[in-house]
Structures are given as C-alpha cells and as structure tokens.
C-alpha cells in the first residue's frame, strides 16, 4: 500500500515552498537587494556604466 500521508506531507512542503518563494523572495527580497546594490545590479548591460561612459545611441536615417 502507498503511504499517502507521506505524499501529502511532501506535496504540502513543495506547495509552501513555491508560495514562499513567489510571495516573499521575489516580491520583497529581490527588489530590496537590487535597491541596495544600485547600478551594479545591472552589470551586464550599459545601465551599469556611468552616463559619461555610455555610448550614444546610433540613429539611422528614416526611409
């Protein structure tokens, strides 16, 4: 016979973990961490560079 109580406990733990990750980590901790880190949070992009070091956007003629 399959131990259903054990499976229910595992399902509850997984569901609780997903909700905790969604509601607490992604909505509170990640934005707070990005606010603390500042522009370095965007290190792979040009947003991490100071405005003077950013390249100017390339404009192509319309037509």
């Amino acid at each position: 016979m399959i131990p259903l109580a054990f499976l229910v406990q595992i399902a509850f733990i997984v569901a609780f973990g997903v909700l905790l990750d969604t509601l607490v980590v992604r909505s509170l901790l990640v934005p707070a961490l990005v606010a603390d880190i500042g522009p370095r949070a965007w290190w792979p992009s040009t947003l991490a560079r100071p405005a003077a070091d950013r390249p100017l956007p390339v404009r192509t003629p319309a037509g």
Side-chain angles (χ1 to χ4, degrees), residues 37-57:
I37 292 174
R40 290 178 294 167
W42 306 102
W43 69 268
S45 74
T46 58
L47 294 175
R49 298 183 198 151
D53 294 340
R54 291 185 197 160
L56 295 174

Side-chain angles (χ1 to χ4, degrees), residues 4-46:
L4 292 178
F6 177 71
L7 293 177
V8 170
Q9 289 174 354
I10 294 293
F12 178 79
I13 290 169
V14 170
F16 182 74
V18 168
L19 285 174
L20 184 70
D21 177 56
T22 301
L23 298 175
V24 175
V25 174
R26 295 180 192 266
S27 64
L28 296 175
L29 296 181
V30 171
L33 183 64
V34 169
D36 283 344
I37 292 174
R40 290 178 294 167
W42 306 102
W43 69 268
S45 74
T46 58

